[in-house]
């Protein structure tokens, strides 16, 4: 961990997005980035549990389906990659 961030993880509501968290959440973030394509976004809205349009694990799928923003942040979701797709 970057020495400048030492202790930051103890602050409530702070989720450090470092290389470790980025690697852990890569599959989730690739899935979320897919929402930038309108057809993929619409397909997920109409059939969210379709296997090809899920973020793989049950835990990640649950976070996305329930829009559990806090859990997504703790896991390592990078909202900057898909914020423009939330139409």
């Amino acid at each position: 961990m970057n020495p400048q961030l030492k202790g930051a993880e103890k602050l409530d509501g702070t989720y450090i997005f470092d290389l470790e968290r980025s690697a852990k959440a890569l599959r989730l973030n690739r899935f979320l980035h897919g929402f930038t394509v309108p057809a993929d976004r619409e397909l997920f809205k109409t059939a969210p549990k379709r296997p090809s349009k899920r973020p793989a694990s049950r835990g990640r799928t649950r976070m996305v389906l329930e829009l559990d923003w806090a859990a997504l942040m703790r896991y390592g979701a990078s909202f900057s990659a898909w914020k423009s797709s939330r139409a």
Side-chain angles (χ1 to χ4, degrees):
M1 177 181 274
N2 182 331
Q4 294 174 337
L5 298 175
K6 187 176 180 181
E9 72 281 355
K10 295 176 186 173
L11 299 171
D12 276 345
T14 301
Y15 309 103
I16 305 301
F17 190 75
D18 56 7
L19 287 175
E20 182 179 338
R21 192 171 300 230
S22 175
K24 174 184 169 189
L26 182 62
R27 190 169 187 167
L28 172 66
N29 284 316
R30 283 185 176 157
F31 169 79
L32 294 173
H33 183 67
F35 288 152
T36 60
V37 177
D40 287 349
R41 193 166 57 244
E42 198 55 42
L43 179 61
F44 185 78
K45 284 182 184 177
T46 58
K49 294 187 179 181
R50 184 174 167 204
S52 64
K53 293 297 174 189
R54 290 191 311 199
S57 78
R58 286 184 185 165
R60 290 186 297 248
T61 299
R62 183 203 58 77
M63 289 185 281
V64 172
L65 291 176
E66 294 177 7
L67 299 177
D68 189 344
W69 305 113
L72 285 163
M73 285 188 297
R74 281 190 301 272
Y75 192 83
S78 176
F79 295 104
S80 62
W82 65 289
K83 65 181 177 185
S84 62
S85 67
R86 293 182 12 225

